[in-house]
Amino acid sequence: MTDFGKLVPAWVHTLPSYKPGKSVRQAELESGVHCIKMASNENPFGPSPLAMAAIQEALPNINYYPDSSVTELTTRLAEVHDIPPEQVMVTAGSTTFLEIIARTLLGPGLNAVTSQLSFIVYPIVTRATGAQLIEVPTLKNGFDLDRILGAVDVFTRVVYISNPNNPTGTVLDAAAMDRFLDQLPLHVLTVLDEAYWDYANYFAAERGLDYSHSLGYVRQQRPVMVLRTFSKSHGLAGVRVGYGMGPADLIGYFARMKPAFMVSSLGEAAALAALADEAHVKKGLAANSAGAKFLTKELSAMGIPVEPTWSNFLFCRVGEDAGNLCRRLQDEGIIVRHMSGSWGAPDAFRVTIGTPEQNEQFLAALKKVRSRVAV
Ligand SMILES: *Cc1c(COP(=O)(O)O)cnc(C)c1O
């Protein structure tokens, strides 16, 4: 018998696997009640109706392979962002783009740098290449850019910055990123993960903040990859479409490393339609802002400290292990995300801001399980 354990590299043995938020089906089987998923930051208003129609229309052709270069969507994204198409690459969700970046630039003996309490995909894609991930302590629950600069060495190839940060919802403003990039050595690529870009942009307009100069960096061909996704505000997490924008020569290397036919024809059709449905995105953003205000106020009134959010979720510290609370919430039909394991905050949970009705149901369930604990 072959002992595969002896064949796989040491770093694969210690690799944590990605544990996704619980599916509605699994939670309902466990708890025996109808469940609402507020665990994975998806759009609570569903997909754009235009995207659903586009998928219908594309269905008769799914016997054919998709366009491996995703030409139509790439061209459209280049137009929308006013950059050359050579600076755009579309992937099966932006987490796949993270993987391609790591496989292209990292390997044993090299490292990447990020913050503690950030996105759990960064350690996975980094360590899968045999490289090391350095995680610096947080500053006010967010990125400490000076500490990141301090951790960078000659073996560093990548810095991951989630802006806003998943799971804490904190933001770095454009001036802070400008200063950071001016100081970062040129052998390091900054991955600017803007999965929640439209939410942050919406809040920034409301609150008067200069949020991001990311497209400026792309136009100047700075060593920066800006990642965006159709999984959040566009409501297409299930069909897996994301993209990155950055220096043309680097995109050329990524194109060699990407799997063929990775974006499906249905995904491309849906994304093109969702991109044109601004009304659907806007509706979600306005409801999200109202929901953030409402939930922040109500949770604070309940004595639960909430980090002010720039995104579509709230990070809540409950002061004790939050595992029990999350299980009891699930028994009341609400799935939230416990921040245990690789997330690194077992005393916290993250809740996605839902529709107004879902937010009310979440609060009612939370009040119920908390009063039961107090008795
Ligand atoms: C949701 C999310 C993504 C996007 O994931 P997809 O693979 O595009 O679905 C990327 N980065 C962060 C920080 C996220 O929270």
Side-chain angles (χ1 to χ4, degrees):
M1 285 265 279
T2 305
D3 182 355
F4 292 106
K6 289 211 174 89
L7 301 180
V8 302
W11 58 80
V12 178
H13 283 269
T14 52
L15 196 62
S17 65
Y18 182 77
K19 291 183 193 66
K22 210 166 272 184
S23 71
V24 169
R25 201 180 139 70
Q26 191 196 343
E28 288 181 344
L29 279 174
E30 285 173 12
S31 294
V33 292
H34 172 70
C35 285
I36 304 169
K37 190 177 180 201
M38 302 174 83
S40 300
N41 306 340
E42 293 126 334
N43 188 332
F45 294 99
S48 146
L50 299 186
M52 288 193 277
I55 286 179
Q56 274 291 348
E57 202 177 313
L59 275 177
N61 289 316
I62 57 171
N63 56 316
Y64 295 113
Y65 279 104
D67 169 13
S68 194
S69 310
V70 209
T71 316
E72 209 181 331
L73 180 57
T74 305
T75 308
R76 187 75 199 108
L77 286 168
E79 281 167 13
V80 167
H81 295 102
D82 194 18
I83 55 174
E86 295 76 33
Q87 290 195 257
V88 186
M89 189 171 100
V90 181
T91 53
S94 57
T95 45
T96 305
F97 212 125
L98 288 168
E99 225 171 278
I100 294 168
I101 293 170
R103 285 200 289 119
T104 308
L105 289 170
L106 297 170
L110 300 173
N111 71 62
V113 182
T114 191
S115 172
Q116 288 173 2
L117 218 56
S118 189
F119 191 35
I120 55 170
V121 170
Y122 306 150
I124 298 172
V125 298
T126 302
R127 291 182 189 138
T129 72
Q132 192 199 346
L133 182 70
I134 301 167
E135 295 172 280
V136 308
T138 54
L139 175 69
K140 297 181 191 153
N141 272 334
F143 276 74
D144 184 338
L145 293 178
D146 288 333
R147 271 191 132 124
I148 296 217
L149 284 171
V152 165
D153 62 25
V154 292
F155 303 110
T156 306
R157 294 292 176 271
V158 176
V159 166
Y160 303 105
I161 295 181
S162 174
N163 194 31
N165 185 40
N166 178 7
T168 57
T170 56
V171 80
L172 293 163
D173 68 20
M177 274 309 302
D178 286 350
R179 275 196 305 276
F180 172 77
L181 291 175
D182 286 343
Q183 293 174 78
L184 192 69
L186 288 175
H187 67 274
V188 182
L189 175 75
T190 299
V191 175
L192 203 43
D193 186 343
E194 295 187 335
Y196 302 96
W197 181 86
D198 353 27
Y199 297 103
N201 208 36
Y202 193 94
F203 284 122
E206 276 187 343
R207 300 170 186 173
L209 178 99
D210 186 12
Y211 157 51
S212 175
H213 294 163
S214 56
L215 279 168
Y217 308 145
V218 173
R219 292 192 188 105
Q220 295 155 20
Q221 308 263 347
R222 304 277 296 258
V224 176
M225 275 306 303
V226 178
L227 302 190
R228 305 257 177 101
T229 181
F230 284 92
S231 295
K232 307 288 160 57
S233 56
H234 291 91
L236 293 181
V239 289
R240 316 300 305 123
V241 189
Y243 57 103
M245 302 174 282
D249 57 340
L250 185 59
I251 297 256
Y253 292 112
F254 292 152
R256 297 182 194 189
M257 297 294 282
K258 76 171 186 184
F261 305 117
M262 134 178 73
V263 178
S264 74
S265 44
L266 301 185
E268 183 178 17
L272 277 164
L275 201 54
D277 194 351
E278 283 173 29
H280 184 71
V281 173
K282 273 199 188 128
K283 174 186 165 192
L285 296 180
N288 184 68
S289 164
K293 258 185 227 123
F294 172 67
L295 287 177
T296 303
K297 185 170 107 262
E298 294 289 320
L299 287 164
S300 306
M302 288 172 74
I304 297 177
V306 190
E307 188 66 40
T309 190
W310 293 81
S311 198
N312 69 340
F313 52 82
L314 293 167
F315 183 76
C316 311
R317 286 218 193 250
V318 293
E320 72 218 64
D321 190 298
N324 259 326
L325 186 73
C326 294
R327 264 189 302 279
R328 291 195 303 265
L329 275 174
Q330 187 187 309
D331 289 339
E332 295 300 325
I334 305 289
I335 317 169
V336 298
R337 195 83 187 264
H338 185 200
M339 295 285 101
S340 59
S342 304
W343 290 106
D347 63 336
F349 68 87
R350 188 194 65 202
V351 59
T352 304
I353 297 162
T355 63
E357 301 75 41
Q358 290 172 344
N359 295 336
E360 295 280 4
Q361 283 166 305
F362 159 70
L363 281 176
L366 187 61
K367 280 175 189 155
K368 191 165 165 192
V369 301
R370 282 194 110 214
S371 67
R372 214 183 287 148
V373 183
V375 177

